[in-house]
Amino acid sequence: MKTKSSDHLGEDILGLLDLSPIEPAHKAELQAHLATCAPCRQALDEYRQALEAFDQTSTNHEPSEVFDANLRARLDALDQERNEPVSAMPSRPASRRRDGARKGSVFSPRRWFPEVNMRRSTGSMRSRGPLPALAAFGAVGIGAAALIAIWLHVPVEGGPPDRSNVPARSEIAESFGASNLLEVAEFFDVAEDLSLYEDFGVVENFDVIEDLDVIESLDEGSAG
Amino acid sequence: MNEDEDAEVMAQFVASRDRRLFDRLFQRYRRPMVSYAQRFVRNPARAEELAQDVFVRVFTTKKYTADTRFKTWLYTVATHVCLNEVRRIEHRLEFTPLDPASPSHHPMARIATTPEGQAEARQLGHEIQRTLDALPTKQRTALLLVRQEGLSHEDVAQVLSVSVPAVKSLVHRALEALRQDVRRYQEFGEPQPAPKPTKSEIDNTGASPHENQV
């Protein structure tokens, strides 16, 4: 038996109030407990009063005389709309076309999303509505974003990048209290790495790479 | 007509679009649907409109199989329609609470025989109504469906898209809240009314303070 706060019955009390199925044996067990537990008897009594009050808050409402007629009119209109031949659609009056556009074609999240949830929950989801338009809009947006990203990462031709904000080497060396960068690199034991970076200027020069004679002359020089 | 027949009739209607089949279901469920809607909006005219919306959705549905319990399916549709309505800000702004000073206004007042008894019943009825309005929607709906619509816990679980044990918990928590009202009323006689939400509070949150709780 569950124990909960002030009374001992917890959710099992729903079985005694006919709000939940309960095994007869378990019901007898609960009633035996009630016979010996005054707080639980009081709790059960309070629950009964609450249920009685709850029942009284709502009364069964008889539909008005116009209820059936109004619904039939709506259903007739739906039937009429459904039975209109497809070929007749372009010749509908302009006022109806505007009405149709206002009701069916213009995307309104407030109107559409509850509709989608309803259709999904009731198994009547259809592939109409602004979903294809949304998908197309999303695809175009993603494509545009990709193009912009590619464009931003392509180096601009026609001139070296602006390095006006980059401090001069001498300034960097002075900030470390050295006369040149090589001293700084040797201090941090990264002189070899610095030499690699120093050579990058040659590597970036595609004219030199394409000129194989230059490489051969370098090999000869190193061999000599 | 039993409930299995309802499912069969509905499946036949979806296949044939025969209005007579639809009318059979409509005649059987028109009153329960209007009453159910009124438990959410407490406005007879609006409740009828919501019930009409439910039947329009039933009428226009194209996918229904006879192995789906019709009553459960219908209450699922109705619950969605009604909850969409009560979540609308406009509904909360339009809603006018019952006047506590109005004699015999509340249904509970009708069951008491003496003037004092009527006043007490009316007062408790207002407290219960206020608590119901403040309950999370799933708790209130679970209690409504189990107690007043007579649905089983399995059906309610399907309607609310929760597990069967969760239904039991929802019903118990809703009932516990109502019980606390009874206790307060018995202890203090006339409890202080809870402050009504202002328009700015409603505009800011778009929901009652308990709306999003389960």
Side-chain angles (χ1 to χ4, degrees), chain B residues 17-87:
Chain B
R17 313 307 301 177
D18 184 348
R19 281 280 284 268
R20 286 170 300 183
L21 295 171
F22 176 83
D23 282 344
R24 283 169 67 183
L25 295 171
F26 171 65
Q27 289 303 326
R28 181 170 160 83
Y29 288 101
R30 58 193 278 278
R31 189 176 170 183
M33 282 299 105
V34 173
S35 295
Y36 184 60
Q38 190 164 3
R39 301 194 212 295
F40 284 91
V41 295
R42 294 201 307 282
N43 175 329
R46 189 68 194 120
E48 288 194 2
E49 287 174 8
L50 292 176
Q52 282 182 22
D53 288 347
V54 172
F55 283 112
V56 165
R57 288 176 193 277
V58 172
F59 186 79
T60 53
T61 192
K62 288 185 175 175
K63 288 182 182 175
Y64 180 87
T65 51
D67 57 354
T68 308
R69 263 191 98 211
F70 179 74
K71 189 176 179 182
T72 309
W73 180 83
L74 181 66
Y75 273 97
T76 305
V77 175
T79 301
H80 278 90
V81 168
C82 294
L83 290 184
N84 279 341
E85 172 66 14
V86 297
R87 283 171 182 146

Side-chain angles (χ1 to χ4, degrees), chain A residues 118-189:
Chain A
M118 167 62 65
R119 284 162 194 255
R120 281 185 179 143
S121 65
T122 57
S124 64
M125 186 69 190
R126 286 178 288 176
S127 61
R128 68 171 200 180
L131 188 57
L134 270 183
F137 183 77
V140 170
I142 290 169
L147 283 175
I148 291 170
I150 291 169
W151 179 70
L152 287 175
H153 284 82
V154 170
V156 180
E157 292 181 6
D162 180 17
R163 291 178 176 169
S164 58
N165 293 329
V166 178
R169 295 180 177 203
S170 59
E171 290 175 8
I172 297 172
E174 279 176 16
S175 69
F176 285 96
S179 59
N180 57 48
L181 273 181
L182 187 58
E183 284 182 24
V184 177
E186 283 175 347
F187 178 80
F188 288 106
D189 201 19

Side-chain angles (χ1 to χ4, degrees), chain A residues 6-157:
Chain A
S6 58
D7 59 85
H8 309 113
L9 300 178
E11 291 176 3
D12 288 342
I13 204 162
L14 297 181
L16 297 175
L17 297 164
D18 296 328
L19 291 173
S20 172
I22 186 170
E23 294 290 329
H26 188 43
K27 190 172 184 177
E29 186 187 349
L30 294 178
Q31 284 171 336
H33 171 76
L34 282 170
T36 59
C37 182
C40 284
R41 279 200 305 275
Q42 185 186 347
L44 182 63
D45 187 49
E46 289 167 354
Y47 278 121
R48 285 198 170 121
Q49 288 183 55
L51 265 184
E52 190 181 342
F54 172 68
D55 290 343
Q56 293 297 328
T57 59
S58 56
T59 52
N60 283 335
H61 178 67
E62 185 65 35
S64 68
E65 291 176 359
V66 295
F67 175 70
D68 291 19
N70 286 344
L71 179 66
R72 284 182 212 289
R74 285 180 69 177
L75 299 185
D76 288 344
L78 282 170
D79 265 348
Q80 194 178 351
E81 222 170 79
R82 187 178 293 155
N83 292 334
E84 279 180 359
V86 176
S87 58
M89 284 178 68
S91 63
R92 282 192 300 177
S95 60
R96 287 201 60 189
R97 280 204 299 274
R98 281 199 301 275
D99 193 41
R102 200 163 47 240
K103 284 180 179 170
S105 304
V106 178
F107 175 66
S108 165
R110 186 173 169 275
R111 180 183 63 79
W112 185 65
F113 284 110
E115 186 84 2
V116 169
N117 287 332
M118 167 62 65
R119 284 162 194 255
R120 281 185 179 143
S121 65
T122 57
S124 64
M125 186 69 190
R126 286 178 288 176
S127 61
R128 68 171 200 180
L131 188 57
L134 270 183
F137 183 77
V140 170
I142 290 169
L147 283 175
I148 291 170
I150 291 169
W151 179 70
L152 287 175
H153 284 82
V154 170
V156 180
E157 292 181 6

